[in-house]
Amino acid sequence: MLIVSEETCQKVVGHKNAFTAVEGVFAAMARGDAYNFPVVREAIGHADALYGFKSGFDRAAGVLGLKAGGYWPGNEKQGLTNHQSTVFLFNPDTGQPSAMVGGNYLTAMRTAAASAVSIRYLAREDAKVLGMVGAGFQSAFQMRAAAAQRKFERVVGWNLHPEMLSRLEQTADELGLPFEAVSLDRLGAEADVIISTTSSFAPILKRSQVKPGTHLACMGTDTKGKQEVEAELVAATAVFTDEVAQAVSIGECQHAVGLGLIDESRITPIGAVINREHPGRSAADEITLFDGTGVGLQDLAVAALAAAAVQAE
Ligand code: NAD
């Protein structure tokens, strides 16, 4: 069995090949060629940890596997990342294990790739200003992946904890883009594309703050109860997602659907846009929203990419 370390993943998986892998698996999901199995997530009653599995099978790519891991809140004190995960891949013909792949870096890359896919297919071509809501670990990956999709001229950002904003400034600097920390009112008024990546449990962005024509990629909400934008804002948009079942249960859409503001049938899998079964954005002034909940198949796609790259060396 091949073992691919975190360090090797960083060498062989970049934003470009992660984008292609995630775009491919979203397309396969929408065609019915790939599917995710129910997620398991449990508090284990030890070290305050949440532990679980995300798994699936991509028949088209021949990728079968699972991501095991979760959240250990005490890790940071030991100099470790709180989120820990490992992907296991299996031969779909025999069930034999084929690879064990470090999942921490890959989780950030596949999450950034998902919002980048949404930007490529849904944002206006002339988008110039990127708005970042959130400045945690994910935000730098998100900004780098987004920057490759449109000719952004500047970045505006907001974070509940202002001491974290330096991460956004440094990342924008690395990309050669000017950065300004702004209020949410200004962010909504100026940004053409907004990525939210926080662990908030209450709406941050309001309907009244977002201008027509904006594309929103809501990436933080991946659990029941979390929320980044007002349900009324979701209801005012053309809504897309990685997987509808997750969007309505653990994604940003859980609130708008729960309040009866939108019906599940209004939510389109992004794969349908990739496969040209849905036109995506329908007008320049439409607000589009991608509810990125994070599916196991994304993890398997980038892990298979890493394993294949190592095997090819
Ligand atoms: P992090 O802990 O590094 O950063 C957390 C961010 O949320 C910071 O910007 C912080 O200021 C902000 N925040 C915390 N509490 C808040 C509150 N009450 N209101 C507003 N903002 C608040 O986390 P991270 O690794 O950057 O992950 C960010 C979020 O993305 C998490 O919720 C995580 O679960 C989620 N996530 C989603 C996916 C997916 O596929 N959709 C994948 C990975 C992580």
Side-chain angles (χ1 to χ4, degrees):
M1 180 174 67
L2 186 70
I3 297 180
V4 187
S5 69
E6 286 287 339
E7 292 71 27
T8 302
C9 287
Q10 291 184 27
K11 285 190 198 123
V12 298
V13 176
H15 284 295
K16 218 169 177 173
N17 56 2
F19 181 101
T20 308
V22 169
E23 180 188 43
V25 85
F26 284 165
M29 281 163 59
R31 287 194 310 268
D33 284 339
Y35 49 98
N36 294 287
F37 305 143
V39 175
V40 174
R41 200 164 159 88
E42 297 286 334
I44 59 172
H46 177 79
D48 252 347
L50 283 174
Y51 171 70
F53 309 99
K54 281 187 167 181
S55 57
F57 179 41
D58 183 344
R59 192 184 300 276
V63 175
L64 175 71
L66 63 87
K67 177 166 90 166
Y71 190 74
W72 276 259
N75 277 9
E76 213 168 310
K77 279 192 217 118
Q78 305 174 52
L80 300 168
T81 316
N82 289 353
H83 287 276
Q84 289 291 332
S85 63
T86 308
V87 176
F88 296 87
L89 298 173
F90 300 91
N91 179 330
D93 300 324
T94 63
Q96 288 184 299
S98 55
M100 181 174 120
V101 186
N104 296 350
Y105 165 78
L106 291 184
T107 298
M109 292 300 281
R110 63 75 146 152
T111 308
S115 71
V117 166
S118 84
I119 293 168
R120 176 168 302 177
Y121 285 94
L122 299 171
R124 287 194 338 262
E125 287 296 334
D126 62 352
K128 298 262 184 300
V129 181
L130 175 63
M132 300 293 305
V133 175
F137 179 74
Q138 297 288 330
S139 65
F141 292 85
Q142 289 287 333
M143 197 196 297
R144 290 188 198 111
Q149 298 308 320
R150 290 292 183 271
K151 291 192 174 100
F152 291 112
E153 292 174 354
R154 61 193 179 93
V155 182
V156 289
W158 178 92
N159 195 52
L160 182 68
H161 308 100
E163 68 278 8
M164 294 171 83
L165 283 163
S166 57
R167 177 182 270 124
L168 297 181
E169 186 164 13
Q170 277 165 17
T171 312
D173 194 47
E174 180 193 296
L175 294 164
L177 295 169
F179 172 78
E180 197 181 350
V182 295
S183 66
L184 284 169
D185 281 343
R186 259 194 71 192
L187 188 139
E190 295 178 17
D192 304 307
V193 171
I194 300 174
I195 301 174
S196 61
T197 176
T198 72
S199 36
S200 175
F201 278 82
I204 300 169
L205 262 183
K206 297 188 174 58
R207 164 76 189 93
S208 59
Q209 288 169 320
V210 175
K211 66 176 180 181
T214 302
H215 172 63
L216 290 152
C218 298
M219 306 306 296
T221 298
D222 57 359
T223 307
K224 202 168 168 44
K226 278 190 187 170
Q227 187 172 12
E228 297 193 290
V229 305
E230 255 185 2
E232 290 75 9
L233 173 54
V234 176
T237 68
V239 195
F240 300 83
T241 188
D242 40 27
E243 188 173 86
V244 176
Q246 284 203 173
V248 301
S249 54
I250 58 167
E252 201 57 47
C253 289
Q254 63 181 289
H255 306 286
V257 170
L259 290 167
L261 298 179
I262 62 165
D263 185 75
E264 198 174 311
S265 62
R266 272 231 359 235
I267 309 169
T268 306
I270 188 78
V273 184
I274 299 169
N275 293 335
R276 298 175 195 275
E277 288 155 7
H278 187 285
R281 166 176 292 280
S282 67
D285 63 355
E286 184 173 56
I287 302 175
T288 51
L289 184 145
F290 175 68
D291 185 355
T293 65
V295 295
L297 281 169
Q298 280 169 259
D299 297 297
L300 304 188
V302 288
L305 176 69
V310 170
Q311 267 160 343
E313 272 176 3

Short mmCIF file of all heavy atoms in Angstrom, two decimals, residues 22 32 36 47 59 83 111 115 121 150-151 160 165 173 191 196 202 215 230 250 261 264 267 273-274 279 302 308:
data_model
loop_
_atom_site.label_atom_id
_atom_site.label_comp_id
_atom_site.label_asym_id
_atom_site.label_seq_id
_atom_site.Cartn_x
_atom_site.Cartn_y
_atom_site.Cartn_z
N VAL A 22 -11.56 18.43 -8.65
CA VAL A 22 -12.84 18.74 -7.99
C VAL A 22 -13.91 19.04 -9.03
O VAL A 22 -15.07 18.60 -8.91
CB VAL A 22 -12.65 19.89 -6.97
CG1 VAL A 22 -13.98 20.42 -6.47
CG2 VAL A 22 -11.81 19.40 -5.79
N GLY A 32 -24.56 11.28 -12.05
CA GLY A 32 -24.95 10.05 -11.35
C GLY A 32 -23.86 8.99 -11.42
O GLY A 32 -24.09 7.83 -11.09
N ASN A 36 -21.79 10.03 -2.80
CA ASN A 36 -21.26 10.07 -1.44
C ASN A 36 -22.11 9.20 -0.53
O ASN A 36 -23.34 9.13 -0.70
CB ASN A 36 -21.31 11.52 -0.92
CG ASN A 36 -20.38 12.42 -1.69
OD1 ASN A 36 -19.17 12.36 -1.54
ND2 ASN A 36 -20.95 13.26 -2.56
N ALA A 47 -10.69 13.66 24.83
CA ALA A 47 -9.97 14.83 24.32
C ALA A 47 -10.91 15.83 23.65
O ALA A 47 -10.49 16.59 22.78
CB ALA A 47 -8.86 14.40 23.33
N ARG A 59 -17.46 6.07 -9.75
CA ARG A 59 -17.41 4.95 -10.69
C ARG A 59 -16.63 5.34 -11.95
O ARG A 59 -15.87 4.55 -12.51
CB ARG A 59 -18.85 4.55 -11.06
CG ARG A 59 -18.98 3.25 -11.80
CD ARG A 59 -20.44 3.02 -12.19
NE ARG A 59 -21.33 2.97 -11.04
CZ ARG A 59 -21.54 1.89 -10.30
NH1 ARG A 59 -20.95 0.76 -10.61
NH2 ARG A 59 -22.35 1.93 -9.26
N HIS A 83 -7.82 20.42 13.16
CA HIS A 83 -8.46 19.50 12.20
C HIS A 83 -7.42 18.47 11.77
O HIS A 83 -6.33 18.84 11.35
CB HIS A 83 -8.94 20.26 10.96
CG HIS A 83 -10.14 21.12 11.22
ND1 HIS A 83 -11.42 20.62 11.18
CD2 HIS A 83 -10.26 22.43 11.51
CE1 HIS A 83 -12.27 21.59 11.45
NE2 HIS A 83 -11.59 22.70 11.66
N THR A 111 -11.28 22.31 -0.67
CA THR A 111 -12.31 23.29 -0.30
C THR A 111 -12.13 24.57 -1.11
O THR A 111 -13.10 25.14 -1.63
CB THR A 111 -12.26 23.58 1.22
OG1 THR A 111 -12.30 22.34 1.92
CG2 THR A 111 -13.41 24.45 1.66
N SER A 115 -14.78 26.38 -4.21
CA SER A 115 -15.28 27.75 -4.42
C SER A 115 -14.72 28.33 -5.71
O SER A 115 -15.39 29.09 -6.40
CB SER A 115 -15.02 28.64 -3.21
OG SER A 115 -13.67 28.92 -3.10
N TYR A 121 -17.61 29.19 -12.92
CA TYR A 121 -18.87 28.94 -13.63
C TYR A 121 -19.97 29.95 -13.34
O TYR A 121 -20.93 30.03 -14.11
CB TYR A 121 -19.37 27.51 -13.34
CG TYR A 121 -18.55 26.49 -14.08
CD1 TYR A 121 -17.46 25.86 -13.48
CD2 TYR A 121 -18.82 26.18 -15.41
CE1 TYR A 121 -16.68 24.95 -14.18
CE2 TYR A 121 -18.05 25.27 -16.12
CZ TYR A 121 -16.99 24.66 -15.50
OH TYR A 121 -16.22 23.77 -16.22
N ARG A 150 -10.47 35.02 -11.97
CA ARG A 150 -10.88 36.29 -12.59
C ARG A 150 -9.73 37.28 -12.46
O ARG A 150 -8.84 37.09 -11.63
CB ARG A 150 -12.13 36.88 -11.88
CG ARG A 150 -13.42 36.10 -12.12
CD ARG A 150 -13.90 36.18 -13.56
NE ARG A 150 -15.18 35.50 -13.77
CZ ARG A 150 -15.32 34.21 -14.09
NH1 ARG A 150 -14.26 33.43 -14.21
NH2 ARG A 150 -16.53 33.69 -14.29
N LYS A 151 -9.78 38.35 -13.24
CA LYS A 151 -8.71 39.35 -13.16
C LYS A 151 -9.03 40.34 -12.03
O LYS A 151 -9.43 41.48 -12.28
CB LYS A 151 -8.58 40.08 -14.50
CG LYS A 151 -8.04 39.19 -15.59
CD LYS A 151 -7.65 39.99 -16.82
CE LYS A 151 -6.97 39.13 -17.85
NZ LYS A 151 -7.82 38.70 -18.95
N LEU A 160 -14.35 38.95 12.18
CA LEU A 160 -14.83 39.26 13.53
C LEU A 160 -13.65 39.57 14.45
O LEU A 160 -13.73 40.46 15.29
CB LEU A 160 -15.63 38.07 14.08
CG LEU A 160 -16.24 38.25 15.46
CD1 LEU A 160 -17.35 39.30 15.43
CD2 LEU A 160 -16.79 36.94 16.01
N LEU A 165 -6.69 39.61 10.57
CA LEU A 165 -6.77 40.17 9.21
C LEU A 165 -5.42 40.19 8.49
O LEU A 165 -5.36 40.24 7.26
CB LEU A 165 -7.34 41.60 9.26
CG LEU A 165 -8.87 41.65 9.45
CD1 LEU A 165 -9.29 43.05 9.90
CD2 LEU A 165 -9.59 41.25 8.17
N ASP A 173 -0.94 40.29 -0.68
CA ASP A 173 0.37 40.83 -1.03
C ASP A 173 1.15 39.82 -1.89
O ASP A 173 1.72 40.17 -2.92
CB ASP A 173 1.11 41.14 0.27
CG ASP A 173 2.31 42.01 0.03
OD1 ASP A 173 2.16 43.00 -0.70
OD2 ASP A 173 3.41 41.67 0.53
N ALA A 191 -17.55 44.49 -3.35
CA ALA A 191 -17.07 43.20 -3.86
C ALA A 191 -17.98 42.64 -4.96
O ALA A 191 -19.20 42.72 -4.86
CB ALA A 191 -16.96 42.20 -2.72
N SER A 196 -17.07 33.51 1.91
CA SER A 196 -17.16 33.50 3.38
C SER A 196 -16.62 32.18 3.87
O SER A 196 -16.95 31.11 3.34
CB SER A 196 -18.60 33.75 3.84
OG SER A 196 -19.46 32.74 3.37
N ALA A 202 -24.21 32.49 13.46
CA ALA A 202 -25.25 33.52 13.27
C ALA A 202 -24.93 34.27 11.98
O ALA A 202 -23.75 34.39 11.60
CB ALA A 202 -25.24 34.49 14.44
N HIS A 215 -21.32 37.35 -6.88
CA HIS A 215 -21.30 35.90 -6.66
C HIS A 215 -20.78 35.65 -5.24
O HIS A 215 -19.73 36.16 -4.85
CB HIS A 215 -20.39 35.18 -7.66
CG HIS A 215 -20.22 33.72 -7.31
ND1 HIS A 215 -21.28 32.85 -7.31
CD2 HIS A 215 -19.13 33.00 -6.91
CE1 HIS A 215 -20.86 31.65 -6.93
NE2 HIS A 215 -19.57 31.72 -6.69
N GLU A 230 -27.61 35.83 5.96
CA GLU A 230 -29.04 35.85 6.28
C GLU A 230 -29.81 34.89 5.37
O GLU A 230 -29.55 34.84 4.16
CB GLU A 230 -29.59 37.25 5.99
CG GLU A 230 -29.86 38.08 7.20
CD GLU A 230 -30.51 39.40 6.84
OE1 GLU A 230 -30.80 39.69 5.66
OE2 GLU A 230 -30.74 40.17 7.77
N ILE A 250 -26.86 20.42 6.39
CA ILE A 250 -25.72 20.97 7.14
C ILE A 250 -25.14 22.22 6.49
O ILE A 250 -24.21 22.82 7.03
CB ILE A 250 -24.60 19.93 7.33
CG1 ILE A 250 -24.09 19.39 5.97
CG2 ILE A 250 -25.06 18.79 8.23
CD1 ILE A 250 -22.79 18.60 6.08
N LEU A 261 -38.34 29.66 3.17
CA LEU A 261 -38.10 30.74 2.22
C LEU A 261 -37.75 30.21 0.84
O LEU A 261 -37.98 30.88 -0.17
CB LEU A 261 -36.97 31.65 2.72
CG LEU A 261 -37.22 32.38 4.04
CD1 LEU A 261 -36.00 33.21 4.43
CD2 LEU A 261 -38.44 33.27 3.93
N GLU A 264 -36.26 23.02 -1.74
CA GLU A 264 -35.09 22.24 -2.17
C GLU A 264 -34.93 22.23 -3.70
O GLU A 264 -33.81 22.21 -4.22
CB GLU A 264 -35.28 20.82 -1.65
CG GLU A 264 -34.04 20.02 -1.62
CD GLU A 264 -34.24 18.65 -0.95
OE1 GLU A 264 -34.81 18.59 0.16
OE2 GLU A 264 -33.82 17.66 -1.57
N ILE A 267 -32.48 24.53 -5.61
CA ILE A 267 -31.02 24.42 -5.43
C ILE A 267 -30.45 23.53 -6.53
O ILE A 267 -30.88 22.39 -6.70
CB ILE A 267 -30.69 23.84 -4.03
CG1 ILE A 267 -31.44 24.62 -2.94
CG2 ILE A 267 -29.19 23.88 -3.79
CD1 ILE A 267 -31.39 23.95 -1.57
N VAL A 273 -24.14 22.62 -13.99
CA VAL A 273 -23.63 23.77 -14.76
C VAL A 273 -22.37 23.33 -15.52
O VAL A 273 -22.20 23.64 -16.71
CB VAL A 273 -23.34 24.98 -13.85
CG1 VAL A 273 -22.92 26.19 -14.67
CG2 VAL A 273 -24.56 25.32 -12.98
N ILE A 274 -21.50 22.59 -14.83
CA ILE A 274 -20.27 22.10 -15.47
C ILE A 274 -20.63 21.23 -16.68
O ILE A 274 -20.03 21.33 -17.74
CB ILE A 274 -19.41 21.29 -14.46
CG1 ILE A 274 -19.01 22.18 -13.28
CG2 ILE A 274 -18.19 20.67 -15.13
CD1 ILE A 274 -18.40 21.44 -12.09
N PRO A 279 -27.79 26.58 -17.25
CA PRO A 279 -27.00 27.71 -17.76
C PRO A 279 -26.18 28.43 -16.69
O PRO A 279 -25.32 29.25 -17.03
CB PRO A 279 -28.05 28.65 -18.36
CG PRO A 279 -29.33 28.29 -17.65
CD PRO A 279 -29.24 26.83 -17.33
N VAL A 302 -8.84 14.50 -4.71
CA VAL A 302 -7.49 15.08 -4.57
C VAL A 302 -6.50 14.07 -4.01
O VAL A 302 -5.32 14.09 -4.36
CB VAL A 302 -7.49 16.41 -3.76
CG1 VAL A 302 -8.10 17.53 -4.56
CG2 VAL A 302 -8.15 16.26 -2.41
N ALA A 308 -1.65 9.16 -7.55
CA ALA A 308 -1.26 8.94 -8.94
C ALA A 308 0.03 9.68 -9.27
O ALA A 308 0.90 9.15 -9.97
CB ALA A 308 -2.39 9.39 -9.87
#
